[in-house]
Amino acid sequence: MLYIIGLGLGDERDITLRGLDAAKKCEKVYIEAYTSLLSFGLSTDGLSTLEKLYGKPIILADREMVEEKVDNILSEARGSDVAFLVVGDPFGATTHTDLVVRAKTLGVDVKVVHNASVMNAIGICGLQLYRYGETVSIPFFTETWRPDSFYQKIQRSRNLGLHTLCLLDIRVKEPTLESLCRGRKQYEPPRYMTINIAIEQLLEVEQKHGESGEVQQLLLS
């Protein structure tokens, strides 16, 4: 059995009782470590906090493991109980939807334990949830890759009088382009997009489209 367990948004105490029971009975526990992070991050101290609560070691599942070696996790879940921990809610990222589909294809039973997500916790801003349009992700720009589809989606929602939730990029254990070309992976240092960087990129895209004032108006409204 594969248990996909949401951890909520704060610290180790935000897991539900159902999720905690499931994690404690599993033979192996993985924690997904690249679509989001708990408040204490993924330091050794942070993981040991979770390990003390669950009473067993936790295996860090980075992007490489989830995207390239997930069949190993699913193979283990065929013969034993395996937990896959996800910050927020399990279906807050398409990666986890794909995991469920692959498990079902391989005949692995799946149980999902839901939890709070930024998709509903954003209500703390005082904006009504049903007045949100499409959620967008803002990725880090590179010298050769500067996408702008997120800006157009924000504009469409604004024209409809809707708010937009912007998810800011996290880059953890990303291989450098040079190392990929050489066939020997070396990784960039972790990067976490700040609000300032997101705004700078929005302003750049606004200028690219020959528009002005829209982002400033959004910031002041």
Side-chain angles (χ1 to χ4, degrees), residues 39-52:
S39 60
F40 48 66
L42 291 171
S43 63
T44 301
D45 290 343
L47 285 180
S48 67
T49 300
L50 294 175
E51 289 173 340
K52 288 176 184 176

Side-chain angles (χ1 to χ4, degrees), residues 122-175:
I122 192 64
I124 197 171
C125 294
L127 304 176
Q128 297 174 341
L129 292 178
Y130 59 80
R131 296 295 299 170
Y132 275 83
E134 183 176 356
T135 298
V136 303
S137 296
I138 301 182
F140 277 111
F141 284 173
T142 68
E143 291 184 3
T144 58
W145 187 66
R146 308 178 94 77
D148 60 9
S149 59
F150 59 86
Y151 180 80
Q152 297 157 15
K153 292 175 181 177
I154 293 171
Q155 275 191 320
R156 283 201 297 269
S157 290
R158 184 164 172 78
N159 291 337
L160 294 170
L162 302 175
H163 315 301
T164 303
L165 173 61
C166 299
L167 307 179
L168 307 188
D169 201 4
I170 294 175
R171 296 182 66 83
V172 179
K173 202 175 180 183
E174 293 283 343

